[in-house]
Amino acid sequence: MFVRDLIFSSLKRWYFLLVGLIVTGVATFLVFGMVSPTYEANASMVLIPPKVAVTVGENPYLYLGGLDQALGVLQVKVASPSESASLIDKYPGAELSIAQDDTTSGPIVAIKVSADDAEDTMELLAGSIALVPKTLATLQKELQVPKPSLITVMELSSDHEPTKVAKKQLQMTMIVAAGGVSLSLLGTGFLDRLINRSKAKREAKSAGAETFTRLSPVGDENIGKIEIKNVDGKRKGSLRAPHGLNDRGESDPPAADVGT
């Protein structure tokens, strides 16, 4: 019922709806230009087991299974504010994510960075790639791990150009567009209701003043009668006053003579 009335009001007062849609279009265009897209870049690094853990002549990649715990410690340390805050603070609005790669079971670090500027994104990615081996070396140095037992890290892949992400821009644009259309429809329905209410009041006031009574003493035959007329002066009928005298001078009981 509400939707049907809203559609009817929008069709009836289409000019109000048109103004609302124009304003919505302008606001959507402005928001689309004000909200900038973000940029993302990714890299991946793998932990390499120490030399003492690899049998001479064997492939080091066959010994990656025991590095998951070391990867967990490294992930927590790199993501801590003491390590990453100084890097992220250089680029306002930037984000850094360092986690284990979900696509594999090996000790692979997945690095994901985002920023509002393409150049800042690539600089943040380079700083993150450099931060991982630095943090790993610091952790092992604090434990005084012998050099032959040190775990190292190797870069597997890295983006050379950032990827433009317009998700936030599109979300804000869609929110403004949907909100503007909704407000335009609701506003048109509200204005239509106000106009109809004002019109109904004027019609009720006009109907209340449609008829009035007037005493017409012209002519002996009208003595004691009240003549009823419309606003335009057309006669609708008459009403004889109580205890009046008729045209023969006789007393008559109250009587009505109303006609159209």
Side-chain angles (χ1 to χ4, degrees):
M1 185 68 178
F2 174 75
V3 176
R4 185 183 65 183
D5 293 341
L6 195 61
I7 295 175
F8 177 77
S9 299
S10 300
L11 294 176
K12 184 179 179 182
R13 310 292 179 182
W14 60 269
Y15 38 87
F16 289 139
L17 180 61
L18 179 61
V19 173
L21 294 179
I22 292 175
V23 174
T24 299
V26 173
T28 302
F29 178 78
L30 293 176
V31 170
F32 184 82
M34 292 174 60
V35 180
S36 302
T38 58
Y39 296 87
E40 291 184 356
N42 299 275
S44 60
M45 308 180 76
V46 61
L47 298 185
I48 303 298
K51 294 180 180 180
V52 297
V54 180
T55 304
V56 177
E58 290 288 343
N59 190 334
Y61 290 111
L62 298 177
Y63 298 86
L64 298 179
L67 298 177
D68 290 340
Q69 293 180 343
L71 176 61
V73 175
L74 176 62
Q75 174 186 337
V76 173
K77 183 63 175 178
V78 174
S80 64
S82 61
E83 298 295 330
S84 61
S86 59
L87 180 62
I88 298 177
D89 291 343
K90 296 180 181 179
Y91 312 100
E95 295 181 359
L96 169 63
S97 172
I98 298 179
Q100 184 175 4
D101 193 346
D102 295 333
T103 61
T104 180
S105 59
I108 298 178
V109 180
I111 302 174
K112 181 179 181 181
V113 299
S114 64
D116 296 334
D117 182 77
E119 184 177 353
D120 291 348
T121 302
M122 298 309 298
E123 291 180 0
L124 178 59
L125 180 64
S128 302
I129 293 175
L131 180 63
V132 173
K134 178 182 177 181
T135 304
L136 180 60
T138 301
L139 287 173
Q140 296 180 97
K141 184 178 180 180
E142 291 176 352
L143 296 177
Q144 299 180 352
V145 177
K147 187 174 181 179
S149 300
L150 291 177
I151 300 173
T152 57
V153 62
M154 181 180 68
E155 181 180 334
L156 292 178
S157 63
S158 176
D159 291 339
H160 298 289
E161 293 182 359
T163 302
K164 183 178 180 180
V165 180
K167 182 179 179 181
K168 183 178 180 181
Q169 186 181 36
L170 293 177
Q171 284 179 342
M172 294 300 297
T173 302
M174 292 178 63
I175 290 174
V176 173
V181 172
S182 300
L183 290 176
S184 298
L185 291 172
L186 294 175
T188 301
F190 178 73
L191 291 174
D192 179 59
R193 181 172 296 183
L194 287 181
I195 293 174
N196 292 336
R197 185 178 300 175
S198 178
K199 183 178 179 181
K201 287 182 178 180
R202 290 196 305 268
E203 291 177 351
K205 185 177 180 180
S206 177
E210 181 180 359
T211 61
F212 65 93
T213 60
R214 188 186 335 185
L215 183 62
S216 300
V218 180
D220 294 339
E221 67 280 3
N222 292 324
I223 294 177
K225 291 184 179 180
I226 297 176
E227 192 173 54
I228 302 175
K229 294 184 179 181
N230 291 331
V231 175
D232 55 6
K234 295 183 178 180
R235 183 178 183 277
K236 294 188 65 177
S238 62
L239 178 66
R240 186 182 299 276
H243 304 292
L245 297 177
N246 57 21
D247 54 352
R248 296 187 298 272
E250 299 174 347
S251 177
D252 290 332
D257 180 19
V258 179
T260 56

